[in-house]
Amino acid sequence: MTDLPSIASIPIERRDLPLDALAARIGDELDTLARLSSEVQRAISLCHFADHTDAAAIRGLQGIDRITQALEDLGRLMSAVSTEMPQDVKLHAVPILSRLRLHELATNLDPEMQRHEVQQEEQGEIQWF
């Protein structure tokens, strides 16, 4: 994983964000994170562990399923909330998006920007953190 520049270091023009569109984008991002969490869970399940795995470790691994389910629910909630919001409510872009450290996340949440889907690399060298 590479370090991406902070959104604070990227100039954001002075403009407003439609709150309903921002909420919809948050819902989409939560759905993407739920999918990634599910992929992590699947990847871990394919790993070979010792014959005896500590109960605390198993509970920790089961926490991934809880994270996935919560992200899925929050994604659905934000998508539903976005359809119930008045369309004329606006937020200033700078104070909202400048709080995010990940440029890709800020771009994905900005209704005026094109979303970047997270893609899995099928081939290539695996780099461990």
Side-chain angles (χ1 to χ4, degrees), residues 5 29 35 44 48 51 54 68 87 90 108 114 116 122:
E29 192 66 24
R35 181 179 49 80
I44 289 173
H48 299 284
D51 291 336
D54 184 64
T68 302
Q87 294 184 355
K90 308 276 187 205
N108 284 348
Q114 181 179 354
H116 295 97
E122 291 297 322

Side-chain angles (χ1 to χ4, degrees), residues 12 14-17 91-100:
I12 301 172
R14 293 190 184 271
R15 61 184 168 82
D16 291 334
L17 299 173
L91 302 171
H92 296 295
V94 173
I96 299 297
L97 297 179
S98 66
R99 295 179 186 268
L100 302 175

Side-chain angles (χ1 to χ4, degrees), residues 36-116:
L36 288 172
S37 178
S38 181
E39 289 173 8
V40 167
Q41 187 175 4
R42 247 181 269 116
I44 289 173
S45 72
L46 295 174
C47 293
H48 299 284
F49 293 101
D51 291 336
H52 175 72
T53 303
D54 184 64
I58 291 172
R59 279 191 299 278
L61 293 173
Q62 288 172 333
I64 296 172
D65 185 54
R66 166 77 168 80
I67 291 167
T68 302
Q69 291 179 43
L71 288 169
E72 289 170 345
D73 276 352
L74 290 170
R76 284 190 293 273
L77 176 68
M78 286 307 297
S79 294
V81 165
S82 73
T83 63
E84 296 295 322
M85 289 181 174
Q87 294 184 355
D88 58 346
V89 177
K90 308 276 187 205
L91 302 171
H92 296 295
V94 173
I96 299 297
L97 297 179
S98 66
R99 295 179 186 268
L100 302 175
R101 292 184 303 178
L102 297 176
H103 174 65
E104 182 180 351
L105 179 60
T107 299
N108 284 348
L109 294 181
D110 188 342
E112 291 190 9
M113 303 294 283
Q114 181 179 354
R115 276 186 55 80
H116 295 97

